[in-house]
Amino acid sequence: MASMVLFSSSISASGPSPISRASVLVGPSRCRFGSPRSPATCKMIGPLKSSNGAAPCIPVIRDPGLLTGPPMQQRGREPDTRLRIFSGTANPALAQEIANYLGLELGKIKIKWFADGEIYVQLQESVRGCDVFLIQPTCPPANENLMELLIMIDACRRASARNITAVIPYFGYARADRKTQGRESIAAKLVANLITEAGANRVLACDLHSGQSMGYFDIPVDHVYGQPAILDYLASKTICSNDLVVVSPDVGGVARARAFAKKLSDAPLAIVDKRRHRHNDAEVTNLIGDVKGKVAVMLDDMIDTAGTIAKGAALLHREGAREVYACCTHAVFSPPAIKRLSSGLFQEVIITNTIPVLEQQSFPQLTVLSVANLLGETIWRVHDDSSVSSIFQ
């Protein structure tokens, strides 16, 4: 049995205590967004567990001690009957955590599949005049989950919802955001058009692959970041700031890594120079920066097959790095990602639950942090017409 580490909200020099397999935190330590109410009852209707094989299997530890701050009612935030949260089948566990944070019950919805694979959606309660938020990442199987989101949006539009916000913790097709060769499609723009034409009034996405993807939408986009959860967790590790170096696995992620390094005790930055010959096939050629004797924190927005980050970690070890941590928001984990990540190159692999992690994808070094409070706070601020950017200041 591998070990799982659970950290409290206070930073302790005594270190973590082993509990079980992989750690799953229900929010960042020292979370600034407040604590959840008592668990709400999920009243979804329909086959939400097995139809597309995306239901999470790793148990989530629900410990209020991980969170600080008064309940939402004590902050002058009473549940609003005009605010409705519905979940698709891609990540119902995350949707339930968000509903708990907001003090709401998930809306009742019926989702089923016909024998030929067609998707049927019916809302089981009125949303006329309501502010509706549909939580559905377009993670694998991407096409099924995307189509399900579009049909959910259409159902809400035809049910006379006042505003429809597509909450997409992981926005698929975001990597196809530009033309690098002749006769390529820009699928990110196409998907943005589909979501807009289906009837969405707003999109809420987490850690888009590139900032220009927001410009593909003709509707407002609220772009939130999973960095607060990862930063707070790394702070609980009590690593000496002089030993830290933040590493970007490629040149394209330098801006993201630089912003992260500034918040992480203004740590120095290193860059892995890679060459991509074709999709999911990268060659690491050089390291820019000094990592000798350092604790290297590799940061990326997503891990797919883990080829880039694994080759980068191997290069860091050859250059003298003492330990290597991998951090990302979206754990796509396409084969052979698990084999590469659990090969011993990484001290720890830290991800968030924007994409559900299945039991067969777990390994001893894996730590899963929840972004439910972050998304829940953002949803409330969008509904309340309050500032979203101030969350990250």
Side-chain angles (χ1 to χ4, degrees), residues 84-161:
R84 302 293 177 86
I85 308 291
F86 291 90
S87 173
T89 62
N91 199 342
L94 175 59
Q96 183 63 66
E97 290 182 44
I98 293 172
N100 289 349
Y101 175 81
L102 292 168
L104 300 172
E105 292 187 355
L106 285 175
K108 293 179 283 187
I109 185 171
K110 182 177 182 179
I111 302 174
K112 67 178 183 180
W113 283 258
F114 291 107
D116 62 353
E118 293 180 7
I119 301 170
Y120 173 84
V121 173
Q122 182 187 28
L123 303 180
Q124 300 288 293
E125 58 186 56
S126 174
V127 295
R128 184 177 296 273
C130 293
D131 201 359
V132 177
F133 291 82
L134 305 175
I135 301 172
Q136 175 80 342
T138 54
C139 52
N143 297 331
E144 286 83 349
N145 287 331
L146 173 60
M147 195 66 201
E148 185 180 313
L149 173 63
L150 297 176
I151 298 174
M152 290 170 65
I153 294 171
D154 183 70
C156 292
R157 179 175 64 87
R158 296 179 187 278
S160 301

Side-chain angles (χ1 to χ4, degrees), residues 3 25 39 56 64 72 83 116 148 157 166 191 216 224 295 360 371:
S3 63
L25 304 184
M72 292 191 68
L83 172 60
D116 62 353
E148 185 180 313
R157 179 175 64 87
V191 173
Y216 295 154
V224 301
V295 175
Q360 60 267 29
V371 291

Side-chain angles (χ1 to χ4, degrees), residues 22-323:
S23 67
V24 184
L25 304 184
V26 184
S29 58
R30 302 185 290 105
C31 180
R32 59 182 65 89
F33 306 120
S35 58
R37 297 184 57 199
S38 56
T41 303
C42 177
K43 291 187 177 179
M44 292 186 210
I45 298 177
L48 295 179
K49 293 185 178 179
S50 60
S51 296
N52 64 0
C57 298
I58 294 181
V60 176
I61 301 173
R62 304 181 186 278
D63 185 354
L66 289 170
L67 307 173
T68 59
M72 292 191 68
Q73 290 84 347
Q74 297 179 27
R75 299 164 65 188
R77 299 182 177 183
E78 294 294 337
D80 192 332
T81 57
R82 292 290 181 179
L83 172 60
R84 302 293 177 86
I85 308 291
F86 291 90
S87 173
T89 62
N91 199 342
L94 175 59
Q96 183 63 66
E97 290 182 44
I98 293 172
N100 289 349
Y101 175 81
L102 292 168
L104 300 172
E105 292 187 355
L106 285 175
K108 293 179 283 187
I109 185 171
K110 182 177 182 179
I111 302 174
K112 67 178 183 180
W113 283 258
F114 291 107
D116 62 353
E118 293 180 7
I119 301 170
Y120 173 84
V121 173
Q122 182 187 28
L123 303 180
Q124 300 288 293
E125 58 186 56
S126 174
V127 295
R128 184 177 296 273
C130 293
D131 201 359
V132 177
F133 291 82
L134 305 175
I135 301 172
Q136 175 80 342
T138 54
C139 52
N143 297 331
E144 286 83 349
N145 287 331
L146 173 60
M147 195 66 201
E148 185 180 313
L149 173 63
L150 297 176
I151 298 174
M152 290 170 65
I153 294 171
D154 183 70
C156 292
R157 179 175 64 87
R158 296 179 187 278
S160 301
R162 183 184 64 181
N163 287 306
I164 304 169
T165 300
V167 181
I168 312 175
Y170 169 69
F171 181 61
Y173 287 103
R175 285 175 286 183
D177 58 359
R178 63 192 184 279
K179 287 184 67 172
T180 58
Q181 303 179 58
R183 299 174 296 280
E184 281 186 325
S185 69
I186 304 180
K189 172 59 176 172
L190 172 62
V191 173
N193 288 343
L194 290 171
I195 293 171
T196 303
E197 291 300 317
N201 303 108
R202 178 181 294 268
V203 166
L204 197 167
C206 187
D207 274 317
L208 291 169
H209 187 64
S210 57
Q212 66 257 32
S213 298
M214 289 186 287
Y216 295 154
F217 289 90
D218 296 324
I219 54 178
V221 177
D222 289 299
H223 189 199
V224 301
Y225 304 91
Q227 287 187 4
I230 298 173
L231 284 166
D232 280 355
Y233 177 75
L234 286 174
S236 72
K237 306 292 287 185
T238 63
I239 302 171
C240 179
S241 59
N242 294 329
D243 293 339
L244 281 171
V245 58
V246 175
V247 181
S248 174
D250 53 38
V251 175
V254 170
R256 182 188 302 110
R258 184 183 292 114
F260 188 83
K262 185 176 181 180
K263 295 178 181 178
L264 193 64
S265 303
D266 202 15
L269 183 68
I271 305 167
V272 174
D273 180 26
K274 74 174 184 182
R275 300 288 186 271
R276 187 177 293 280
H277 302 293
R278 52 188 175 274
H279 295 305
N280 297 125
D281 183 15
E283 178 188 0
V284 171
T285 58
N286 193 25
L287 177 68
I288 304 170
D290 180 25
V291 297
K292 189 173 183 180
K294 301 277 189 177
V295 175
V297 178
M298 297 190 73
L299 179 72
D300 211 346
D301 63 317
M302 63 183 293
I303 296 178
D304 189 359
T305 62
T308 296
I309 205 162
K311 291 177 181 177
L315 175 62
L316 293 177
H317 281 294
R318 291 198 298 270
E319 295 292 329
R322 190 169 81 241
E323 294 177 349

Side-chain angles (χ1 to χ4, degrees), residues 322-342:
R322 190 169 81 241
E323 294 177 349
V324 179
Y325 289 80
C327 302
C328 83
T329 304
H330 310 300
V332 181
F333 285 177
S334 303
I338 304 302
K339 181 179 179 181
R340 288 169 171 170
L341 294 173
S342 60

